[in-house]
Amino acid sequence: YLEALTGLVSNLSTTDKTFTLTRGHTSFSILYSGITGSQQPGLDALLQRAQDDHLRVKVVASGIDLAGMTIDASSVYVKVKGAIVAGSLDTTALTFSAVYSSGATTKAISVDYGTASVEGNLTEGAWVEIKLYGYDGARFLALKVELESNGTMTED
């Protein structure tokens, strides 16, 4: 089984394909150069959004060096929890926008859920948890969209 670790991104370098993942008082250096654009397109932009907005990131490891506190990532996902914006749900194009909190600020994100697994009936105003894997230049790409009770938070 592949190991995974969830935390927050800092020190992102899209040139070196590295970032620091922090969970509690523990930090790991993450190398994501092994992830191709065909696997996860627009990953740099997704990680930048995660760093800017303090979104939780899940790193699936292909290798872990506990002595050096480094992880080679085989995939990286970003979790966003928020509400589907009224008037944005397009069930033909399979897109929507969601609003979420980033500290004291409310942010919006455009999502393409065309290849995502969807749990629940998506409706405008519904509270959702979105697992993102990439960015196509216009919208963030969802791997999974899960309907939640309004305002609830669950832990990984």
Side-chain angles (χ1 to χ4, degrees), residues 68-80:
M69 300 299 280
T70 60
I71 296 176
D72 289 329
S74 60
S75 54
V76 177
Y77 304 103
V78 174
K79 185 192 310 183
V80 176

Side-chain angles (χ1 to χ4, degrees), residues 2-66:
L2 295 174
E3 295 291 329
L5 185 68
T6 303
L8 297 175
V9 171
S10 61
N11 304 316
L12 175 64
S13 171
T14 57
T15 305
D16 297 333
K17 303 294 184 194
T18 60
F19 61 89
T20 301
L21 186 77
T22 303
R23 181 181 180 116
H25 298 292
T26 307
S27 294
F28 286 87
S29 295
I30 310 296
L31 176 65
Y32 68 97
S33 61
I35 302 172
T36 66
S38 60
Q39 293 169 304
Q40 293 193 247
L43 184 56
D44 291 343
L46 179 60
L47 287 169
Q48 188 65 59
R49 174 66 73 104
Q51 177 175 273
D52 292 348
D53 292 354
H54 309 288
L55 300 172
R56 292 176 58 84
V57 175
K58 181 176 186 176
V59 174
V60 179
S62 59
I64 300 176
D65 174 4
L66 291 176

Side-chain angles (χ1 to χ4, degrees), residues 84-95:
I84 296 176
V85 175
S88 73
L89 181 62
D90 185 333
T91 56
T92 304
L94 302 176
T95 60

